[in-house]
Amino acid sequence: GAAYAAQLGTMQVNDEIDALKVMGIPSVEFLVLPRMLALVFVMPLLCIYADIIGMVGGAFTAANMDVSFTQYVLQTQDAVDWVDISTGIIKSIFFGVLIAIAGCQAGLQCGRNSNAVGMAATNAVVRAIVYLVVADAAFNILYDKLGI
């Protein structure tokens, strides 16, 4: 999100976004949509990658506690099911959208100097954190109501 804000903020400072508007190219479709789609597609992959790395790390930790690999795998299969994995992937998609919105919004609202670009990046991080905390709370309430 901070990178998106810095990129779009720098484009704002260099009047590139205004140039797009003059040429009749909608800046949201040309600049925001590709960034949002990128995060929507990459965040589930990062979620799966983090899940796998977490399980491998858990296996190493369990091995240091004299737990056999077979026992670890059996206990993990009992503790984790596809509902857990799928709800995490669903959350990651929404989180990707929120991070992209926060970053692009901060970048497009950036001022016209280099100091404003740094402030936009900081603003994007703060917004994204707030958005994610609120969304995570909403997901937890929803999952609790659904019994997941």
Side-chain angles (χ1 to χ4, degrees):
Y4 287 175
Q7 288 171 344
L8 294 174
T10 302
M11 293 177 80
Q12 189 79 274
V13 169
N14 293 333
D15 294 327
E16 295 173 31
I17 295 176
D18 291 338
L20 288 173
K21 289 178 185 174
V22 167
M23 290 188 297
I25 299 172
S27 59
V28 172
E29 290 177 17
F30 191 74
L31 299 173
V32 175
L33 190 61
R35 287 169 170 80
M36 187 170 296
L37 289 175
L39 274 180
V40 165
F41 288 120
V42 169
M43 287 296 284
L45 297 175
L46 286 173
C47 178
I48 293 168
Y49 176 72
D51 289 343
I52 292 169
I53 295 299
M55 288 184 216
V56 170
F60 282 122
T61 303
N64 289 334
M65 298 176 159
D66 297 327
V67 176
S68 70
F69 181 73
T70 306
Q71 185 179 4
Y72 174 78
V73 170
L74 292 174
Q75 291 294 320
T76 302
Q77 286 176 342
D78 288 341
V80 179
D81 59 0
W82 286 106
V83 174
D84 297 325
I85 294 169
S86 63
T87 55
I89 291 171
I90 290 169
K91 283 172 64 171
S92 72
I93 293 169
F94 282 98
F95 289 174
V97 169
L98 293 176
I99 292 168
I101 288 172
C104 292
Q105 185 180 29
L108 291 174
Q109 293 175 349
C110 180
R112 299 287 182 167
N113 57 35
S114 59
N115 187 33
V117 174
M119 294 300 294
T122 303
N123 192 7
V125 171
V126 172
R127 280 186 192 181
I129 290 171
V130 171
Y131 290 169
L132 294 181
V133 167
V134 171
D136 195 38
F139 272 113
N140 288 335
I141 292 168
L142 176 67
Y143 291 161
D144 184 54
K145 296 292 183 194
L146 294 175
I148 298 175

